[in-house]
Amino acid sequence: MTPPGRALRPVDFAAVVRADPILEELQARAMAAGLEPYLVGGAVRDRLLGRRTRDLDFVLAAEEAAAEAFLAAFAAGRGARVLPFDRRGVRERRVPLPDGEVDVVLAPASGLAAELARRDFTFNAVAVSLASGEVLDLFHGRRDLAGGVVRQITPECFPHDPLRALRAARFLAEGVATHLTPDTEADLRRHVAGLARCAGERVGAEMDRLALSGQLAAALENLDRWGALPVIAPEVAALAGVTQNRYHHLDAWRHTLEAVALADDLPRLAAAGGLEADALPAGEDLLVLRFAVLGHDLGKTDTRTVDEAGDVHFYGHEHVSVVKAAALQRRWRHSRQRTQRVAALIRLHLRPGALDPAAGERAWRRLVHAAGADLDLLALLSLADTGATRGDGHEARAASLRAGVGRLRALAERLGEEFIRPRPLLGGREVMALTGLPPGPRVGALLERLLELQVDGTIRTRQEALDALPRLAAGLAEG
């Protein structure tokens, strides 16, 4: 059912140009050169919706030599250079600036309409002349934007670039639109297998934007319904139908989806765990959290067992989940640092809820150290996981986790940064000199054991470390 229309914001694009130094300079240089660049895409769409944007995408229909000279002069005037990106017959130029980027597609002098027709959806093909402020809307994009409609411009939309399926999901997640037209969705489904040909970094960039939208769970449901999820994330799609034990009320896929939905609503999730607003992550931290939630149970497909009493178990699933999540992130070209942080959170995600409230401080200290600077992210991941596990004993587990999170954060605050990243009491060269061991894994094992004892408070001084070293080395030799 089509939702009621929404009023688009009246925009004086001439005033927009005057208020933006980059746009004003582009306009002045273009007029001096006798050229007419058109602002297009997100820069127009978002302003019509009353949203702030730093996207600056243009179409410049002109003779090639004149267009290149114009861009070179603009870039030089700002101490930048023009980067060419030519692909599939499209000539694109980018000028990186300190506060953003200017992207320009070069079209033949008479090719503006053809360039707009090449774009994905109608609301992304609305163009505004920098010279006059005139709005050019050849495909009724403003009408579709007002109606919340994602409509492909031509049936070649998805065959030309299958990644547009993820862009369609993003426009729904970001509230740009509410639904696809039937023919657009049918063509998307027909060509969704083409996502396998898309570069991993392009898929990863779209997944980042979906994760930051705050509607990742809804986007995952759309991608699953369209058949896109098995193509871009088969590890996630494989969770469907993996039934769980009596502590769960959902299968592994629906549990993951509900956990992601809880992580989409961070203020509510934090409040459920007694966390203050200052614990809410943003930017890269937020991406780490949401991808950890997405991947925390991927290992359940490979570790499901049923005992003689008929009870289901997933022993060690967190370790398998680490491996699968890392493989997924490598395909999406995530950074090594993000992949490592996500892996650490997944590896630890069961421990906050598994710690015995009556356990001594040593066990709690070890977890605080293991989580390090990401302790709040670990708390939020565990809260999302537990919140989506509403089977037998849920209320008791949730209350225990809430108390545990409070204890962990209080302990971390008391111990301070020096505890989270402690300076080792002995170095590798010292250990080798004192034990006679050559460089190798045995020295590393001794250093790791010394650090464990330092973290849990068994040894506190350099002398205590020296005293403990012979005993630890002897135990290592016996082992």
Side-chain angles (χ1 to χ4, degrees), residues 143-197:
R143 176 201 63 194
D144 288 340
L145 194 60
V149 179
V150 178
R151 187 190 307 273
Q152 62 185 5
I153 294 177
T154 74
E156 295 304 309
C157 174
F158 299 106
H160 180 77
D161 186 0
L163 192 81
R164 289 168 171 173
L166 300 187
R167 286 171 57 81
R170 171 161 57 86
F171 291 133
L172 298 181
E174 293 177 344
V176 171
T178 58
H179 63 289
L180 280 60
T181 63
D183 63 313
T184 300
E185 182 169 336
D187 280 351
L188 184 157
R189 289 172 179 261
R190 191 174 298 119
H191 298 288
V192 76
L195 279 166
R197 305 193 307 269

Side-chain angles (χ1 to χ4, degrees), residues 39-126:
L39 190 64
V40 69
V44 178
R45 181 194 70 233
D46 289 346
R47 283 185 170 88
L48 289 171
L49 291 174
R51 300 179 177 185
R52 298 182 62 84
T53 181
R54 283 309 303 165
D55 284 346
L56 289 178
D57 295 323
F58 297 90
V59 175
L60 181 55
E63 296 298 329
E64 183 173 354
E68 296 282 14
F70 161 72
L71 285 175
F74 167 73
R78 289 188 164 260
R81 59 194 182 101
V82 181
L83 305 178
F85 293 94
D86 293 338
R87 56 191 177 193
R88 295 184 179 181
V90 178
R91 295 176 300 145
E92 185 175 343
R93 303 293 182 265
R94 175 169 297 164
V95 181
L97 300 174
D99 55 348
E101 295 174 337
V102 171
D103 287 311
V104 182
V105 171
L106 305 182
S110 60
L112 176 62
E115 167 55 30
L116 294 177
R118 185 189 61 81
R119 293 178 174 261
D120 51 6
F121 308 120
T122 57
F123 51 58
N124 287 331
V126 182

Side-chain angles (χ1 to χ4, degrees), residues 7 9 107 120 216 222 225 258 312 322 324 342 373 386 392 465 475:
R9 178 186 178 186
D120 51 6
L216 178 57
N222 281 327
R225 182 167 54 85
E258 186 165 330
V312 175
V322 165
K324 292 198 167 194
V342 168
T386 299
D392 288 358

Side-chain angles (χ1 to χ4, degrees), residues 97-352:
L97 300 174
D99 55 348
E101 295 174 337
V102 171
D103 287 311
V104 182
V105 171
L106 305 182
S110 60
L112 176 62
E115 167 55 30
L116 294 177
R118 185 189 61 81
R119 293 178 174 261
D120 51 6
F121 308 120
T122 57
F123 51 58
N124 287 331
V126 182
V128 176
S129 167
L130 275 194
S132 65
E134 175 192 4
V135 178
L136 185 64
D137 187 3
L138 302 179
F139 305 102
H140 308 292
R142 286 175 294 181
R143 176 201 63 194
D144 288 340
L145 194 60
V149 179
V150 178
R151 187 190 307 273
Q152 62 185 5
I153 294 177
T154 74
E156 295 304 309
C157 174
F158 299 106
H160 180 77
D161 186 0
L163 192 81
R164 289 168 171 173
L166 300 187
R167 286 171 57 81
R170 171 161 57 86
F171 291 133
L172 298 181
E174 293 177 344
V176 171
T178 58
H179 63 289
L180 280 60
T181 63
D183 63 313
T184 300
E185 182 169 336
D187 280 351
L188 184 157
R189 289 172 179 261
R190 191 174 298 119
H191 298 288
V192 76
L195 279 166
R197 305 193 307 269
C198 294
E201 58 268 24
R202 295 184 70 213
V203 174
E206 286 297 331
M207 292 306 299
D208 280 4
R209 295 189 68 167
L210 286 175
L212 292 173
S213 72
Q215 293 294 324
L216 178 57
L220 291 170
E221 283 198 284
N222 281 327
L223 294 174
D224 182 52
R225 182 167 54 85
W226 297 338
L229 194 63
V231 183
I232 63 168
E235 300 91 341
V236 179
L239 293 172
V242 177
T243 56
Q244 304 200 79
N245 52 36
R246 59 191 176 88
Y247 300 109
H248 287 263
H249 66 298
L250 298 169
D251 72 4
W253 159 239
R254 287 290 159 186
H255 161 76
T256 295
L257 202 60
E258 186 165 330
V260 171
L262 290 170
D264 280 337
D265 189 354
L266 281 181
R268 184 176 178 182
L269 180 63
L275 300 178
E276 302 85 359
D278 62 2
L280 299 185
E284 179 65 15
D285 289 347
L286 184 55
L287 290 170
V288 168
L289 170 64
R290 286 183 173 148
F291 287 124
V293 176
L294 178 62
H296 79 282
D297 273 354
L298 294 181
K300 285 190 170 179
T301 54
D302 294 353
T303 57
R304 186 181 186 277
T305 59
V306 183
D307 64 21
E308 294 179 354
D311 291 329
V312 175
H313 303 282
F314 299 98
Y315 296 122
H317 79 272
E318 65 273 24
H319 303 295
V320 181
S321 297
V322 165
V323 175
K324 292 198 167 194
L328 182 61
Q329 291 186 272
R330 282 195 297 272
R331 289 204 309 278
W332 291 348
R333 302 295 191 270
H334 286 182
S335 70
R336 179 178 298 180
Q337 183 182 34
R338 184 191 295 176
T339 302
Q340 290 173 342
R341 292 176 69 191
V342 168
L345 291 176
I346 293 175
R347 188 179 298 112
L348 297 171
H349 80 272
L350 296 175
R351 286 178 60 181

